[in-house]
Amino acid sequence: MEKTYHIITFGCQMNERDSETLAGMLQAEGYTYTDDKEAAEVVLLNTCSVRENADKKFFGVLGQLKHSHEANPDKVVGVCGCMMQQQHIIDMLKSKYPWVDIVFGTHNVAEFPRLLNNVQTTKKNIVEVPEDEEAMAEGLPAKRAYSFKAFVNVMYGCNNFCSYCIVPYTRGRERSRRPEDILAEIRDLAAHGCKEITLLGQNVNSYGKVKHGEGSYCYKDEPDGGVDFAKLIRMIDEIEGIERIRFMTSHPKDLSDDLIECFRDCKHLCHFFHLPVQSGSDRILKEMNRHYDREKYFERVEKLKEACPDISLSTDIIVGFPGETEEDFEGTLDLVRRVRYESAFTFIYSVRRGTPAAAMENQVPEDVKHERFNRLVDTIHEIQEEISKKYQDQVLPVLIEGPSKTDPEVLTGRTESGKTVDLKAPAELIGQIVPVKIVKAQTFSLYGELA
């Protein structure tokens, strides 16, 4: 009988990339993917701990699997990812979800085939969550979501310890992959038709700055000065077949002039930059442990715009951080109006157990958070609507990604700035970058026709 699996991914691109690896390892063991999580023999839930909503979604989906698990004693349900690096989550799983077969974390994804085999052989549950980072595994199989675009990890972990963020505790300290391994992976992707790559890291700007653990790369150890992130971008820019380079996420405090100049010099680097600001208040930024202020952020933004006048900017913003006053929030609105982001990920602050901010006493009331959040979103949408108008009647290069989720007769693609473009075009253009004339520009999406 055909062996089937299903993977549910919560959270960021790092988790999506981990899920591609997990899928690749399952395919190597003879499994095939199914959309039916109830019927699948192996179901994995790859979790995120950054926001409270992700926690709730995970437990909701996990509860739905209990019936099919009881109906099929050979079914294996596994949970992994960032939530599993928190002991109170593991304790909850043991007490309320004892039927879960495998629990593993972010540091031992490469061990999944062994864990799965052990569970299937012994019929005993396994909880294996290393607290310390293990050596980075290279050459793992992957089932890529797309053939023409791909995520590529350049580093793992984070050393910043922003006071609201759980990531350093769940992903560990910064470890950078060796540049030759990154370049080899991208060359292989290009040889198989990949046109766009997105480089991933919790803070790609600090690539190679520190050495942590076995196999971690540090350019300071290299006699020729080594490869920092800007140099890595320039090397990738020369790889034949790669037509678009993206990266995320960046920390403003580590944004170098060399990296800014890459937007001026590199022919394949998309003129798009995701630069999380989190708040427009210097006082709140200090409480967040962000290590920059408004003026430092503005100075980096101005340098980006000088080097690349048509660059599009996006950001992350948290509303309702402990102690945020109306004056602090007005500072955020002012910053948004001044920078004029093309897009923004906006979040209502949620307490993350184990972080310094969770212990702060001056938590902002929920109704105040929501009222400020709505005002922020309205301000961002007004700016987005104004920016979108500039695309009207322009001809833009668009990477066609596939059928629209709302209309299968329409194809969807993305511009360099990440704007969604819908158009009617032949299916054979999927995976191609084609010129598209924008005939209707709306706040969140564009409509075009082949130019």
Side-chain angles (χ1 to χ4, degrees), residues 298-451:
F298 287 137
E299 183 265 331
R300 295 287 84 190
V301 167
E302 288 305 310
K303 282 210 168 187
L304 279 165
K305 291 181 177 181
E306 288 172 11
C308 183
D310 65 340
I311 197 164
S312 297
L313 298 174
S314 69
T315 197
D316 295 340
I317 299 174
I318 296 173
V319 173
F321 183 83
E324 181 189 72
T325 65
E326 179 63 22
E327 182 180 359
D328 294 323
F329 177 68
E330 286 292 341
T332 298
L333 291 180
D334 175 72
L335 182 142
V336 166
R337 296 186 185 105
R338 185 167 164 183
V339 176
R340 295 182 61 81
Y341 297 105
E342 183 126 348
S343 60
F345 296 95
T346 52
F347 306 96
I348 294 175
Y349 170 77
S350 60
V351 173
R352 298 288 80 193
R353 183 172 171 177
T355 64
M360 294 179 180
E361 296 180 355
N362 49 351
Q363 301 289 327
V364 177
E366 289 300 316
D367 60 335
V368 175
K369 290 182 188 177
H370 284 272
E371 189 273 335
R372 289 176 183 168
F373 179 82
N374 291 337
R375 285 159 57 197
L376 173 64
V377 170
D378 287 345
T379 300
I380 291 170
H381 287 177
E382 289 173 9
I383 294 168
Q384 288 176 320
E385 184 177 10
E386 294 170 5
I387 291 175
S388 287
K389 291 177 182 178
K390 75 179 182 181
Y391 292 114
Q392 184 69 40
D393 298 325
Q394 282 196 32
V395 176
L396 305 173
V398 174
L399 175 59
I400 307 298
E401 297 185 344
S404 166
K405 293 180 180 179
T406 57
D407 186 348
E409 295 185 1
V410 173
L411 297 183
T412 293
R414 290 194 182 273
T415 66
E416 276 197 29
S417 62
K419 294 282 282 188
T420 300
V421 179
D422 290 335
L423 72 159
K424 289 192 175 181
E428 55 263 30
L429 291 181
I430 294 174
Q432 304 297 315
I433 298 175
V434 298
V436 174
K437 182 178 180 180
I438 305 305
V439 297
K440 185 179 180 182
Q442 294 188 322
T443 303
F444 306 112
S445 60
L446 307 173
Y447 298 85
E449 58 187 28
L450 292 175

Side-chain angles (χ1 to χ4, degrees), residues 144 146-151 194-197 399 401 414:
R144 301 281 184 174
Y146 300 91
S147 62
F148 51 86
K149 66 175 186 174
F151 294 130
C194 183
K195 292 179 171 59
E196 176 182 294
I197 56 133
L399 175 59
E401 297 185 344
R414 290 194 182 273

Side-chain angles (χ1 to χ4, degrees), residues 202-272:
Q202 303 301 334
N203 176 17
V204 292
N205 295 350
S206 60
Y207 169 78
K209 283 188 176 180
V210 296
K211 187 175 183 67
H212 181 85
E214 183 181 349
S216 176
Y217 172 76
C218 179
Y219 57 76
K220 297 173 185 176
D221 295 340
E222 303 299 314
D224 61 352
V227 177
D228 64 4
F229 189 60
K231 189 171 182 180
L232 182 66
I233 291 285
R234 294 178 187 276
M235 296 169 78
I236 296 169
D237 194 49
E238 298 300 321
I239 295 177
E240 185 175 354
I242 297 300
E243 298 182 37
R244 284 184 174 181
I245 304 168
R246 302 183 185 276
F247 59 82
M248 64 188 320
T249 294
S250 290
H251 196 297
K253 73 177 176 63
D254 298 313
L255 175 53
S256 69
D257 288 345
D258 286 346
L259 182 56
I260 290 174
E261 289 167 4
C262 286
F263 286 94
R264 180 194 64 202
D265 301 336
C266 296
K267 55 185 177 295
H268 299 126
L269 182 59
C270 288
H271 291 183
F272 172 80

